Amino acid sequence: MYEDALARVDIFSGLGKKELKDLATYCGESTYPPGTVLLSQGEQGLGLFILTKGIVRITRVNSPDGAEQVLGTAGAEEVIGEMALLDDLPRSATVTAVDEVTVLKLPLWEFRRFLRRSLHSDPDVGLALLAVLSRRLRKAEQRALE
C-alpha cells in the first residue's frame, strides 16, 4: 500500500519490491494540521517519519533563554526522526508542520528489524542511510559558517 511512497525516499530507494512491501506493512499513516509539533527536541525517539505531503520546519533550542534556531525545512519524500533511532539519544530538534502534513510512521523496533535484515543482505542500504546523514551534517556545517 505504501511501497511507492517508500521507494521515493532516498534511504529506501534501492530496495526491491519484496523488501518495500515488507517494510510498508509496518507503516501507519497520519495527517497533521499546520502548527502541530510532530517531534519534540529532547523526547525519546519511538519512530521514523517519512513525509509524503506538506512541509515541516525543523528547529532547535540552543540557549537557556529558549530562543529557537531554525535548522531548515523538509518536505515530501524526506525522512525525519532517524537520528534518535540510530543512537538512542533524545530527539535533537523539534519538527513542526508548516502546512497540512501527511507522514508514514515506522516504529523504532520495525526500523531496527529492517536495518538488521537489510544490512545483512544488502549493505547498500546502510550506505544510503549514511549518505543521508552525511548530507545533513554538511548542511549543518554550512549553516554554521554563514
Side-chain angles (χ1 to χ4, degrees):
M1 181 154 125
Y2 301 124
E3 297 94 323
D4 290 341
L6 291 171
R8 289 189 294 272
V9 175
D10 50 8
I11 65 172
F12 303 128
S13 63
L15 297 178
K17 288 182 181 185
K18 181 180 178 289
E19 291 85 7
L20 288 169
K21 186 174 183 175
D22 177 52
L23 190 59
T25 63
Y26 298 103
C27 291
E29 188 174 57
S30 295
T31 300
Y32 301 94
T36 303
V37 174
L38 283 69
L39 306 173
S40 294
Q41 181 178 340
E43 74 183 6
Q44 181 183 2
L46 298 177
L48 171 82
F49 286 54
I50 301 143
L51 297 161
T52 59
K53 176 186 166 201
I55 302 288
V56 296
R57 185 179 70 248
I58 305 163
T59 59
R60 179 177 174 82
V61 174
N62 288 327
S63 61
D65 67 1
E68 281 188 338
Q69 174 187 14
V70 176
L71 300 177
T73 60
E77 302 176 5
E78 293 189 72
V79 173
I80 55 174
E82 77 290 343
M83 286 174 37
L85 305 186
L86 294 170
D87 62 15
D88 284 324
L89 294 173
R91 301 271 190 208
S92 61
T94 295
V95 177
T96 307
V98 173
D99 51 14
E100 184 173 270
V101 172
T102 303
V103 300
L104 298 180
K105 294 181 187 178
L106 181 62
L108 165 66
W109 53 91
E110 294 303 338
F111 177 66
R112 287 191 174 166
R113 179 193 63 83
F114 159 76
L115 274 181
R116 283 184 191 100
R117 202 181 310 163
S118 297
L119 292 174
H120 179 71
S121 64
D122 185 4
D124 287 340
V125 172
L127 292 174
L129 181 58
L130 289 172
V132 169
L133 296 174
S134 179
R135 283 192 296 275
R136 288 186 182 181
L137 179 58
R138 287 178 188 272
K139 285 181 186 176
E141 289 174 338
Q142 185 61 39
R143 277 193 304 272
L145 293 174
E146 293 173 350

